[in-house]
């Protein structure tokens, strides 16, 4: 193996570990924001009268946020699995100086890490897609109220 190949073999897993760390920060931040929003919505739901129309909209949002939080949690676990795979790749590469490590093994472990990152990306994309549905539910409720005639029976003035 040439010097350039050795450098690339040593540096690539380290770069991937760094990337996984940055991704973990973002995913953890998203999961924490969703957990806080879920707690706020649960508090609002409990404070509403049992037959309030708003309870249905809040319950829909809670269901979507719960699914999104689950997707982000699994994505975060996959990210940490990938990080672990990249660290093991580095250890295997370094271990070749001391033990008989089949040359395919570090490549296989590195590939496993890349596959976990791909799966993580799919989960994040699914969560982002779900994010739109909570916005649509909230907007629909507000727009429904805006279009409803006021109690006096006259149509509400148009706003734009």
């Amino acid at each position: 193996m040439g010097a350039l190949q050795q450098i690339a073999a040593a540096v690539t897993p380290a770069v991937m570990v760094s990337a996984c760390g940055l991704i973990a920060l973002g995913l953890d931040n998203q999961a924490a924001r969703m957990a806080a929003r879920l707690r706020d919505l649960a508090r609002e739901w409990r404070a509403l009268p049992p037959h309030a129309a708003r309870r249905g909209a809040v319950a829909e949002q809670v269901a979507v946020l719960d699914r999104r939080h689950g997707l982000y949690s699994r994505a975060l676990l996959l990210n940490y699995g990938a990080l672990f795979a990249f660290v093991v790749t580095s250890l295997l590469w370094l271990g070749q100086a001391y033990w008989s490590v089949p040359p395919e093994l570090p490549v296989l472990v590195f590939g496993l890490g890349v596959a976990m990152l791909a799966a993580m990306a799919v989960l994040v994309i699914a969560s982002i897609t779900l994010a739109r549905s909570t916005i649509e539910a909230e907007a629909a409720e507000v727009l429904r109220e805006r279009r409803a005639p006021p109690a006096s029976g006259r149509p509400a003035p148009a706003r734009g």
Side-chain angles (χ1 to χ4, degrees):
M1 181 185 289
L4 190 58
Q5 288 175 321
Q6 285 181 324
I7 291 170
V11 169
T12 301
V15 169
M16 297 303 283
V17 164
S18 179
C20 285
L22 288 173
I23 292 168
L25 286 173
L27 291 174
D28 189 55
N29 186 18
Q30 287 288 10
R33 285 180 46 224
M34 269 178 258
R37 181 67 180 135
L38 271 167
R39 282 190 291 277
D40 290 344
L41 284 169
R43 197 174 303 115
E44 179 184 352
W45 189 82
R46 284 190 292 273
L48 289 168
H51 300 293
R54 172 82 178 136
R55 281 186 124 199
V58 170
E60 285 177 36
Q61 289 183 49
V62 166
V64 171
L65 282 170
D66 183 50
R67 286 181 56 205
R68 287 187 65 210
H69 190 274
L71 289 169
Y72 273 115
S73 296
R74 288 188 290 284
L76 193 54
L77 288 173
L78 282 168
N79 183 66
Y80 279 114
L83 188 148
F84 181 72
F86 298 137
V87 168
V88 170
T89 299
S90 292
L91 291 173
L92 289 170
W93 184 80
L94 291 170
Q96 288 175 342
Y98 304 102
W99 303 286
S100 175
V101 176
E104 300 84 14
L105 189 56
V107 174
L108 179 69
V109 173
F110 186 85
L112 179 64
V114 170
M116 284 190 262
L117 284 181
M120 176 214 63
V122 169
L123 292 176
V124 170
I125 289 168
S127 178
I128 291 168
T129 303
L130 279 173
R132 182 68 189 143
S133 66
T134 58
I135 299 300
E136 288 170 346
E138 194 72 23
E141 181 183 18
V142 169
L143 295 175
R144 218 177 9 255
E145 282 182 19
R146 184 174 153 204
R147 290 187 191 116
S152 66
R154 294 186 315 225
R159 295 182 185 131

